[in-house]
Amino acid sequence: AILDRRQKQFSVEYPCHGPGEQRWFLLQATPLRDGTGGAVVSHTNITARVQSELARVREHEFSESIIDTAQQIVLVLDQQARIVRINRFMEEVTGWRLDEVVGRDFFDTFLPQRDRRSMRELFQQSIDGQRTRGNINPIVTKNGHEREIEWYDTPLTHSGDQMTGLLCMGIDVTERQMLQREVLEIASEEQRRIGQELHDNTQQQLYGLTLLAQTVASGLDWLRGAETLDQERLENLRENAKQVQIGLQESARQVNLLARGLVPVEIDAQGLEY
């Protein structure tokens, strides 16, 4: 082709298919200014550069596919807590699309007013290099509902370890937190029921046994001072003592059953296991 003399340079990258291998070349043409319409043409092998670029593109696409298929929140913030990236799972959880929130302040967009100050302080600590792990706080969805999220973060750096932002991973623990509160409420209600049971039944039964034991003690005192043995009275004492024994055994059984319900439900920092 004849190049226009006014055109300074023409260049194009093109593939060349060889046996078992594809190579890339850069063609550059500079027109001659001698009026002949000719040009100086060069071909440069750029296969290594193109392959490196294609590898980076494939790596980026692979990373993006992992982020978008992950069943947990992936959030990228810059140093000013502006939203750089949210994944598809966070879009589904919150109802917000990436193009609606990108560039917006994360705390003003997703956090309830009551938590913004404390969470900004925590964010600043993370930016300063103090990683946060397992912190749970609510986020507000587009329709105004709150979801409990357990957060983990890691700093994003550029060349020279310069901090550029924060990568945050979030696990939706809303259902787990609800179950935890329900378990605690059930345990508390059960303890109240047991306390009432101890007061209304077991305590009354023990009080009655106390009176019966006093009767037995009085009878024994009478026997020690009697000149003759009263068989009928002795039988009554034996029956009363037997009733005390049976009553104490029953009370012990009831207390043992009720004590099982008094064992507190302990939930550690990780919450309920599931």
Side-chain angles (χ1 to χ4, degrees):
I2 298 176
L3 298 177
D4 190 329
R5 283 179 298 178
R6 293 172 297 180
Q7 185 176 352
K8 294 182 178 181
Q9 192 177 59
F10 171 80
S11 64
V12 65
E13 296 177 3
Y14 65 94
C16 180
H17 299 275
E21 183 181 7
Q22 183 185 59
R23 296 184 178 183
W24 285 81
F25 292 89
L26 172 64
L27 182 149
Q28 292 178 308
T30 303
L32 297 174
R33 299 184 180 277
D34 57 2
T36 63
V40 177
V41 179
S42 65
H43 294 264
T44 305
N45 189 337
I46 58 171
T47 304
R49 192 200 78 193
V50 172
Q51 288 177 343
S52 176
E53 291 175 352
L54 290 175
R56 284 198 298 270
V57 169
R58 286 194 294 269
E59 183 179 353
H60 176 74
E61 291 176 346
F62 179 70
S63 300
E64 287 294 305
S65 65
I66 292 178
I67 290 173
D68 273 334
T69 56
Q71 293 303 295
Q72 61 181 4
I73 288 174
V74 179
L75 166 69
V76 179
L77 304 175
D78 67 12
Q79 289 182 291
Q80 286 72 45
R82 293 187 295 257
I83 299 168
V84 177
R85 177 82 161 86
I86 65 173
N87 68 336
R88 191 171 302 165
F89 184 79
M90 187 169 181
E91 289 182 331
E92 294 172 355
V93 169
T94 65
W96 290 99
R97 298 192 314 272
L98 173 61
D99 59 358
E100 294 178 302
V101 297
V102 65
R104 294 173 59 173
D105 183 273
F106 168 72
F107 302 103
D108 292 341
T109 305
F110 283 105
L111 264 63
Q113 180 69 40
R114 65 182 184 274
D115 292 336
R116 291 176 188 174
R117 181 176 179 179
S118 61
M119 293 307 297
R120 284 187 188 277
E121 293 175 354
L122 195 63
F123 170 79
Q124 190 58 51
Q125 292 176 13
S126 299
I127 289 294
D128 293 338
Q130 302 178 31
R131 294 184 61 181
T132 59
R133 299 179 62 84
N135 180 69
I136 298 177
N137 70 274
I139 61 173
V140 181
T141 65
K142 191 174 184 179
N143 59 14
H145 295 161
E146 291 190 4
R147 305 291 297 181
E148 297 282 341
I149 307 298
E150 182 176 333
W151 293 103
Y152 298 84
D153 65 59
T154 187
L156 296 175
T157 58
H158 194 44
S159 58
D161 293 332
Q162 180 182 359
M163 173 76 76
T164 59
L166 206 63
L167 172 64
C168 308
M169 310 293 289
I171 304 172
D172 189 345
V173 295
T174 306
E175 282 72 25
R176 191 184 79 186
Q177 293 292 97
M178 291 176 58
L179 177 60
Q180 178 174 309
R181 286 190 287 268
E182 289 175 3
V183 168
L184 290 175
E185 289 174 2
I186 291 172
S188 178
E189 181 61 32
E190 181 66 7
Q191 290 180 2
R192 285 194 295 269
R193 183 194 67 79
I194 290 171
Q196 191 68 34
E197 183 76 15
L198 286 170
H199 179 270
D200 293 345
N201 296 327
T202 307
Q203 184 180 15
Q204 295 299 321
Q205 186 175 16
L206 289 174
Y207 180 72
L209 291 173
T210 300
L211 295 178
L212 192 57
Q214 290 175 351
T215 301
V216 172
S218 298
L220 290 174
D221 290 340
W222 179 86
L223 285 175
R224 279 196 297 267
E227 295 181 357
T228 58
L229 185 63
D230 188 333
Q231 292 294 331
E232 181 179 357
R233 191 158 191 171
L234 180 61
E235 285 299 320
N236 288 335
L237 288 175
R238 287 175 179 172
E239 182 63 27
N240 288 339
K242 185 177 181 180
Q243 291 300 320
V244 171
Q245 179 186 9
I246 294 173
L248 289 174
Q249 290 174 342
E250 176 62 20
S251 295
R253 186 187 69 82
Q254 291 180 8
V255 170
N256 184 54
L257 291 174
L258 292 173
R260 296 179 184 179
L262 287 173
V263 177
V265 176
E266 295 184 0
I267 300 177
D268 60 19
Q270 300 300 319
L272 294 173
E273 296 293 334
Y274 66 101

